[in-house]
Amino acid sequence: MLQNIRSNIQGTLAKIIIGLIVVSFALFGIESILLGGGNSGVAEVNGETITPYDVQQTVNLQRRQLLAMLGDEADPSLLDEDRLTAQAIETLIQRQLLVQAAGELGLTTSEQAIGALVGGMEQFQVGGQFNQDLFRSVLATAGFTPALFKESLREDLVTNQLRVGLAASDFATPAELEVQARIAGEKRDLRYLAIPMDRFDDSGTVEDAAIEAWYADNPDTFMTPETVDVSYLELTLEDFEEPVSEQALREEFELTRDTFQVPTEARVAHILLIQGDDESDEAYAARVAGAEEAVAAGEDFAAVAGRLSDDIGSAAGGGDLGYTAGDTFPDAMEAAITGLAVGEISPPVETEAGTHLIKVLDRREGKAVTFDEVRGQLAQRLREGAARDELLRVVEELRDLAFNAEDLAFPADELGLAVETESGVSRGASDGLFADPRVQSALFSEEVLVERHNSPVLELSPERFLVVHADSHHLPERQPLAAVRDQIAARIATERARAAALAEGERLLAALAAGETLDSLANAGDYEWQVELGATRAANALPGPVGRRAFTLPRPEGEAPVRELVGAPAGDVYLVELTRVTPGSLETLPPQRQAQLRRSIAGEYGSVLIGAFESALRADADIEVY
């Protein structure tokens, strides 16, 4: 079927179908086709709508977080749009429930708190100072407006108040603390003897018959990996870069000379006053006049901005907006800035954002640059620009040629490219070009691996493209005995040594039960043994396996110790002898440990309480997902 589609995709019928789709989009809009009828929401929580924009914002955020954590090695299934969308909707529903609950409880936060939070965020700072330009740029890159970001922060703060309040409402009772203290402060006296597995190693004496029997009994062990022999075409930006002539550099400099001029820039700060929805004109005018009077009376401009400005981003930084070359702010602001000397403060300036009082903090004069100063930059720009154009042109041709070709020989000949090969590419390769999850997914797809079509042209980065073809497929096969004989011998020797160490431990246990002492057995067998007195869960010098088991052994009854063999993952065996258990008590714990125990118990209970509260909100809510 797929081959039929490939064969007929260029036909008249296909063109008619595509034409009808284009007309449908043009007449009815893509939203009506993708999102359906009249309701523009994705979900509704107690009458409040979650919009497709909200969902997409959350999906984008989740995707960026995954890529930041996992990088280019991220599993494509984790970035699946449907999967992320379902997670985003669930996240937004839970968030909306908490925001609504916080609102019902009257929880709120101040503009000053939001401003201080924004001003202290390192991602918006340059040289330790808040930078308005960077603030706007970072938000725009993330798909946020300042207003949307402010509202998101407000919701985060009030829901955090709710969570903290819930967690703080639970506490540990004295009885609970005492029980936990008995366990946390418990001390155990024990002795242990180590029986190293390598003492019983006989890897050099494993019989051929044993090796052959093991090989016969384990037919699915020692299989070769599934591999593919691959031919591929890789296109990179560097492949298409060519030297740039002196004349082209000179012409480019003349055409773009103005873009290299360093303009005169002014560094400015402002106090922004925004009229509230329920604020009268008279009250607003009084606020503006009050700010004017404060700076006119000589009060520090930065202090007034921090106290009065409604700009949450700049208020915490004294109103500092950074530098402008005359094209950063609204025209009215730029006109006022142009007419101010350094240190001078403007009268009120009106813009769509509100009323500004502007102060010029610094001014640096611009300068022109010479051709020699920007020669390297120009050469790189022209070289990469021409290479990128040529790369994309060749990639588009390659898409068509590879799609219709049986292998990569014909596309390579047509485009003057060289086919490269790689033998033995394994499924799940961990490094190199073919470890990229996108390449793995394409190479081991049914279309490429079974039907032997060329893969689609894969965009690994804007400057790197790849198309692969599976030349031959090698299924897992059992390796011959000769190739794995030494490995089998090592396994048999390890199993024998582990069993011998355990048998020796059993012998020593029997000897102890018969009246021997641990120290006499250790001396007789030349084993190392240790005594640990007063060991606690939080502080002990015990080997890991011994420490984990020692605090789960039952309490000794009378004078008889509790004895047990403890195996380590590496194969060593420990003979453990527990002689005494002393319960802990709250009074014997240091004050710092008592406080830590209270916080730990309260934290555990708080988490349970928050989960129960969120579940109750959801159970009582009217939620509809469209």
Side-chain angles (χ1 to χ4, degrees):
M1 178 179 177
L2 183 60
Q3 184 57 50
N4 290 335
I5 294 174
R6 284 174 171 266
S7 302
N8 297 316
I9 193 69
Q10 306 294 333
T12 303
L13 178 59
K15 294 178 180 178
I16 293 173
I17 293 172
I18 293 171
L20 290 174
I21 293 172
V22 171
V23 171
S24 299
F25 280 131
L27 290 178
F28 303 108
I30 189 169
E31 293 85 356
S32 64
I33 294 172
L34 295 181
L35 301 178
N39 195 324
S40 60
V42 174
E44 196 171 279
V45 181
N46 293 328
E48 295 191 24
T49 300
I50 294 174
T51 68
Y53 178 80
D54 297 330
V55 175
Q56 192 57 54
Q57 281 286 93
T58 307
V59 167
N60 292 340
L61 178 61
Q62 291 174 342
R63 183 179 289 111
R64 283 194 295 271
Q65 290 172 337
L66 285 170
L67 289 174
M69 289 188 295
L70 304 176
D72 294 336
E73 303 302 318
D75 185 344
S77 65
L78 296 177
L79 304 176
D80 179 71
E81 188 77 14
D82 292 339
R83 179 175 183 172
L84 290 178
T85 298
Q87 294 173 351
I89 292 173
E90 182 60 30
T91 299
L92 289 168
I93 289 173
Q94 199 62 42
R95 179 186 179 92
Q96 188 65 260
L97 288 171
L98 288 174
V99 170
Q100 291 171 356
E104 291 174 1
L105 293 171
L107 300 180
T108 185
T109 189
S110 67
E111 294 288 338
Q112 289 77 10
I114 296 175
L117 180 62
V118 172
M121 292 182 174
E122 292 184 0
Q123 55 265 50
F124 302 142
Q125 294 181 353
V126 176
Q129 296 293 321
F130 177 83
N131 184 279
Q132 183 74 14
D133 294 338
L134 181 62
F135 172 68
R136 293 175 176 173
S137 173
V138 171
L139 290 188
T141 301
F144 281 95
T145 64
L148 181 61
F149 184 65
K150 173 181 176 182
E151 185 59 30
S152 178
L153 280 181
R154 187 188 307 280
E155 291 181 353
D156 286 341
L157 289 173
V158 296
T159 55
N160 190 55
Q161 287 181 44
L162 179 59
R163 290 176 181 273
V164 170
L166 286 169
S169 67
D170 211 336
F171 57 90
T173 66
E176 291 168 334
L177 275 173
E178 186 61 42
V179 170
Q180 292 291 331
R182 287 175 62 86
I183 298 172
E186 182 183 79
K187 295 181 179 180
R188 297 198 165 204
D189 298 343
L190 66 149
R191 294 175 288 185
Y192 64 92
L193 178 150
I195 306 170
M197 185 185 73
D198 58 13
R199 175 177 290 200
F200 307 96
D201 181 23
D202 64 347
S203 55
T205 61
V206 178
E207 309 84 4
D208 288 343
I211 294 174
E212 292 166 3
W214 195 99
Y215 183 76
D217 292 340
N218 297 273
D220 295 331
T221 309
F222 296 120
M223 303 292 287
T224 62
E226 178 187 8
T227 62
V228 182
D229 295 336
V230 183
S231 57
Y232 64 98
L233 294 174
E234 183 181 12
L235 287 75
T236 66
L237 186 67
E238 292 78 7
D239 297 334
F240 296 89
E241 289 188 4
E242 298 288 346
V244 181
S245 69
E246 182 72 11
Q247 180 181 351
L249 289 174
R250 295 280 181 182
E251 290 175 354
E252 181 68 12
F253 179 69
E254 293 302 324
L255 289 172
T256 60
R257 180 193 295 268
D258 292 343
T259 64
F260 291 106
Q261 305 299 321
V262 178
T264 298
E265 294 181 315
R267 182 180 178 185
V268 298
H270 79 156
I271 299 168
L272 173 63
L273 300 172
I274 303 172
Q275 186 172 5
D277 294 337
D278 55 354
E279 185 177 18
S280 67
D281 292 342
E282 292 77 11
Y284 180 54
R287 279 207 299 134
V288 174
E292 279 190 277
E293 292 170 3
V295 295
E299 186 176 347
D300 182 62
F301 189 89
V304 178
R307 179 163 52 87
L308 300 179
S309 180
D310 293 330
D311 182 351
I312 64 166
S314 68
D320 194 342
L321 298 176
Y323 282 92
T324 175
D327 56 0
T328 303
F329 306 118
D331 293 342
M333 287 183 66
E334 294 291 358
I337 293 167
T338 301
L340 293 175
V342 174
E344 190 175 356
I345 300 171
S346 74
V349 176
E350 300 292 337
T351 70
E352 291 183 359
T355 303
H356 310 256
L357 297 179
I358 304 169
K359 181 178 181 179
V360 174
L361 305 177
D362 182 33
R363 184 169 273 115
R364 55 192 183 193
E365 297 299 324
K367 67 172 185 176
V369 297
T370 65
F371 172 74
D372 289 336
E373 288 176 322
V374 297
R375 173 195 289 274
Q377 185 177 344
L378 287 171
Q380 182 178 359
R381 178 197 296 175
L382 291 179
R383 190 169 57 247
E384 290 185 354
R388 185 168 286 105
D389 291 343
E390 182 65 11
L391 170 64
L392 295 179
R393 183 192 67 79
V394 173
V395 165
E396 287 306 311
E397 288 191 37
L398 179 59
R399 292 187 201 278
D400 292 336
L401 292 171
F403 183 82
N404 294 294
E406 293 184 356
D407 54 31
L408 295 176
F410 177 71
D413 289 342
E414 286 291 301
L415 298 174
L417 304 173
V419 177
E420 300 181 71
T421 59
E422 182 77 18
S423 299
V425 175
S426 62
R427 186 188 291 271
S430 59
D431 57 17
L433 174 64
F434 296 97
D436 188 299
R438 293 164 293 186
V439 180
Q440 281 276 314
S441 178
L443 181 57
F444 288 92
S445 66
E446 181 178 356
E447 182 180 3
V448 175
L449 191 64
V450 179
E451 299 178 12
R452 298 299 172 88
H453 296 308
N454 295 325
S455 76
V457 177
L458 307 173
E459 182 177 351
L460 304 184
S461 76
E463 298 178 355
R464 191 182 191 194
F465 296 83
L466 181 77
V467 57
V468 297
H469 181 84
D471 297 331
S472 55
H473 181 201
H474 308 288
L475 293 172
E477 296 178 352
R478 193 181 191 194
Q479 298 182 59
L481 176 59
V484 297
R485 177 179 293 275
D486 291 343
Q487 297 177 58
I488 295 175
R491 284 198 178 195
I492 294 174
T494 297
E495 291 170 1
R496 288 178 176 178
R498 192 186 299 271
L502 188 59
E504 175 67 356
E506 297 287 356
R507 184 187 72 79
L508 296 178
L509 269 181
L512 288 172
E516 295 282 351
T517 62
L518 190 69
D519 53 345
S520 65
L521 291 175
N523 292 332
D526 195 23
Y527 292 114
E528 291 185 4
W529 68 287
Q530 299 289 337
V531 176
E532 183 78 9
L533 301 177
T536 66
R537 286 174 170 80
N540 64 72
L542 300 170
V546 176
R548 286 188 290 273
R549 182 59 182 142
F551 289 93
T552 60
L553 289 173
R555 183 189 305 269
E557 296 182 4
E559 297 297 322
V562 174
R563 300 184 180 107
E564 187 171 301
L565 295 179
V566 177
D572 296 339
V573 175
Y574 295 92
L575 194 162
V576 179
E577 189 175 73
L578 177 64
T579 58
R580 183 170 58 183
V581 176
T582 305
S585 67
L586 191 61
E587 292 75 19
T588 60
L589 290 178
Q592 184 179 2
R593 185 73 178 97
Q594 292 183 27
Q596 183 182 3
L597 195 60
R598 286 189 177 91
R599 288 194 299 270
S600 176
I601 297 173
E604 292 174 6
Y605 290 174
S607 297
V608 172
L609 183 60
I610 291 171
F613 179 77
E614 292 179 349
S615 297
L617 287 178
R618 182 147 197 149
D620 295 339
D622 182 11
I623 300 172
E624 186 172 359
V625 180
Y626 303 119

